[in-house]
Structures are given as C-alpha cells and as structure tokens.
Amino acid sequence: MSDVVNRGRHVLVFCASSGSCAPAFHSAAAALGRALARAGDTVVYGGGAVGSMGALANAALAEGGRVVGIIPRFMREREWAHTGISELRLVDDMQQRKREMLAIADAIVTLPGGSGTFEELFEALTSKRLGLFCKPIVILNQSGFYDPLFALLKSSVSERFMSEEHLEMWHAVDDVDHVLPAIAAASPWPEDALRFATR
Ligand code: AMP
C-alpha cells in the first residue's frame, strides 16, 4: 500500500509501560514507531514516556511523525505523560481513555505488554465482537509472547464460548516488519457482527 493511501490514518498502539522487560521489546516498539511515521500514519497511544510506550513515541517523533497520546489526568499528575509528543489529550479516567482511543483508531496494533495492554486489547476485541468497532486489530506475537493467549482464545472457541468467526477478529504477525502489510491485508469485519456475537 502506498504512502499516499496511508496518509492521515490513525494507528492506535497498545504496548507496555515497563522499563524492565527485555530490550528487544522496546526495539520492536521503536521499529513500529519509525515504520508508522515513514508511512505517514499518526501514532495514537496511551501517552506514556517510558517502556515500549516511550520507545514507540520517541522513534516516531525522531522520524518526523505525528504522535497523539491519550492519558488520564491522574497519570499526568504523577508525571507519567510524555511531554514532547505532538498532542496530549487529557481524559477523566481509564474508561474515557479507551473510548476516545477506539473512536479515533483506523487500525489497532498490540505489542507485548502487561495487564494494561491486555485490558486495552480485550476492550477492542469485545467491541469488535459486538460490531461496535470494525477496524483491523494486529497482534505482534514477538518471540511467541502471545502463544498462550491464542491457545486460550482457541479453547474459548472449542468450548463454544465464542464462534469460529471470532478467530478472524485479529491478525497475528511474528515480526514488526509484517505489521503494516497485515493492516493493509486485513479482511473487512462486518458492521452487523452483533448478528453472530453470541452462540
Ligand atoms: P502495561 O501493559 O500493563 O504496562 O500497561 C500499559 C498501560 O498501563 C498504559 O496504557 C497505561 O494504562 C498504564 N500505565 C502504567 N504505567 C504507566 C506509565 N508509567 N505511564 C503511562 N501509562 C502507564
């Protein structure tokens, strides 16, 4: 897909705040930030300054990209917010943050992370299941990090808590270079997904 087609797209990235994880996770976040900036995409993320979040934002900015952070006021008060990004949006709480993130996103990328990343991913997946959010969701399964999650989701299907169709809600890639192509290749999600939301 050419840069011209991509221009103006808001790509929402869920990733870790941890500064203690293996440096390779921060490197992948930085590589994604650079790739998005080069493609002319705006990076939307949680607005943090540290960990994979900081690496993503700093790399996109260094490449001349636009970065929008959406962060609850209580986190900014604790000086967790990145002070050098293009736009920092302050919201009242975690719920409003996720609502605003999903409202602005043209695509979502989830990198390895902790409970905060999982919470954001599952909000997006559940919204997609209900037809409230229909954009591509790409999960970077770096070093097999998400293998246990995919196994759990598949067992949710085999136990008939979800349908086979729900396995199409996300696209997994194992290399950060494959993230943008996966967004471009993602199959459309039906707006009437509510029709098959329950089994
Ligand atoms: P996790 O994957 O658990 O590191 O969660 C990332 C999410 O945790 C972010 O989107 C925030 O909700 C929250 N978070 C935790 N620590 C920070 C921090 N130092 N700066 C910004 N956000 C943070």
Side-chain angles (χ1 to χ4, degrees), residues 8 14-15 51-52 54 56 97 111 114 124 131-132 136 147 164 174 184 189:
F14 300 142
C15 63
S52 297
L56 168 85
R97 180 201 230 182
L111 306 185
L132 303 170
D147 285 347
E164 285 281 340
D174 56 12
W189 185 253

Side-chain angles (χ1 to χ4, degrees), residues 117-165:
T117 300
F118 302 156
E119 180 218 11
E120 290 161 341
L121 172 62
F122 271 90
E123 171 102 8
L125 289 174
T126 304
S127 297
K128 195 158 176 174
R129 182 171 172 178
L130 297 171
L132 303 170
F133 177 84
C134 297
K135 310 288 175 51
I137 299 175
V138 174
I139 299 176
L140 178 61
N141 189 24
Q142 186 175 354
S143 307
F145 177 82
Y146 279 115
D147 285 347
L149 177 67
F150 295 142
L152 182 63
L153 288 164
K154 277 185 188 144
S155 85
S156 180
V157 171
S158 62
E159 294 291 346
R160 299 190 301 280
F161 293 113
M162 299 200 304
S163 303
E164 285 281 340
E165 294 105 304

Side-chain angles (χ1 to χ4, degrees), residues 15-18 46-50 53 71-72 75 80-81 94 97 101 112-120:
C15 63
S17 57
S18 173
V50 296
M53 301 173 86
I71 196 164
M75 287 190 188
W80 287 3
M94 301 288 275
R97 180 201 230 182
M101 283 174 152
S115 58
T117 300
F118 302 156
E119 180 218 11
E120 290 161 341

Side-chain angles (χ1 to χ4, degrees), residues 21-102:
C21 61
F25 292 117
H26 296 159
S27 303
L32 178 63
R34 277 191 295 277
L36 291 171
R38 283 183 196 140
D41 293 326
T42 293
V43 174
V44 181
Y45 81 121
V50 296
S52 297
M53 301 173 86
L56 168 85
N58 289 335
L61 292 167
E63 203 65 32
R66 177 172 156 72
V67 179
V68 175
I70 305 180
I71 196 164
R73 284 186 182 80
F74 80 88
M75 287 190 188
R76 214 241 337 220
E77 281 157 17
R78 278 159 192 76
E79 300 183 345
W80 287 3
H82 197 304
T83 54
I85 54 177
S86 319
E87 184 182 341
L88 185 70
R89 298 190 188 177
L90 296 177
V91 293
D92 290 336
D93 51 36
M94 301 288 275
Q95 287 71 26
Q96 189 187 354
R97 180 201 230 182
K98 281 178 290 189
R99 238 186 351 266
E100 292 206 6
M101 283 174 152
L102 292 184

